[in-house]
Amino acid sequence: MISTGYNGSPRGFENCCDIGDCPRIRRNMHQGEGYGLCRAVHAEANALLNCSRQQTMGADLYLSSVNPQDGSVHHAKPCPLCARLIIQAGIRNVILRKGEGAENYQVIPAKELEWYMKE
């Protein structure tokens, strides 16, 4: 493992859940909309920021999505911006957790992420 990432505000800043206000929720935006308003840095971007390109070239990125309220696992997929960052970083494959269970994952070559995101 060369890096980890998490969804959350930049270092030194409070998360929306800590201050009790989310600009996207306030505007009734659907999950996946209004990323420009979001205070958070996505887990994928955080992981890539915490290592060098030399380390990411040919590496695999594992992505999971867990609901913090009930611990359930959802089908993980990067947003369009993170997909482009992953491709630019030279990641080889993205392993997406699709749900509960050790075998419930999908491997996507990073170079195919933009196509995958359009489905």
Side-chain angles (χ1 to χ4, degrees):
M1 182 174 4
I2 60 171
S3 183
T4 61
Y6 60 92
N7 285 346
S9 294
R11 288 184 185 100
F13 290 83
E14 293 182 298
N15 290 307
C16 291
C17 60
D18 298 325
I19 61 174
D21 180 51
C22 173
R24 292 172 54 218
I25 291 174
R26 194 174 348 110
R27 290 173 176 82
N28 291 321
M29 292 182 151
H30 185 270
Q31 183 179 0
E33 294 180 324
Y35 286 120
L37 298 172
C38 186
R39 296 175 59 90
V41 177
H42 288 182
E44 304 92 321
N46 250 322
L48 294 172
L49 286 167
N50 288 316
C51 54
S52 70
R53 178 165 164 74
Q54 184 177 24
Q55 292 172 302
T56 61
M57 291 296 297
D60 292 335
L61 186 142
Y62 290 78
L63 185 60
S64 65
S65 178
V66 178
N67 182 332
Q69 294 176 334
D70 63 11
S72 60
V73 178
H74 298 273
H75 188 155
K77 59 183 177 180
C79 75
L81 175 58
C82 286
R84 291 191 299 272
L85 294 174
I86 290 166
I87 293 165
Q88 182 68 11
I91 297 293
R92 181 181 55 177
N93 292 309
V94 179
I95 296 86
L96 303 172
R97 173 61 89 193
K98 292 174 32 176
E100 303 288 344
E103 299 300 318
N104 204 352
Y105 65 89
Q106 177 180 12
V107 179
I108 303 282
K111 63 185 176 184
E112 295 177 16
L113 277 178
E114 283 203 277
W115 172 83
Y116 172 78
M117 295 306 301
K118 294 175 185 175
E119 288 185 329

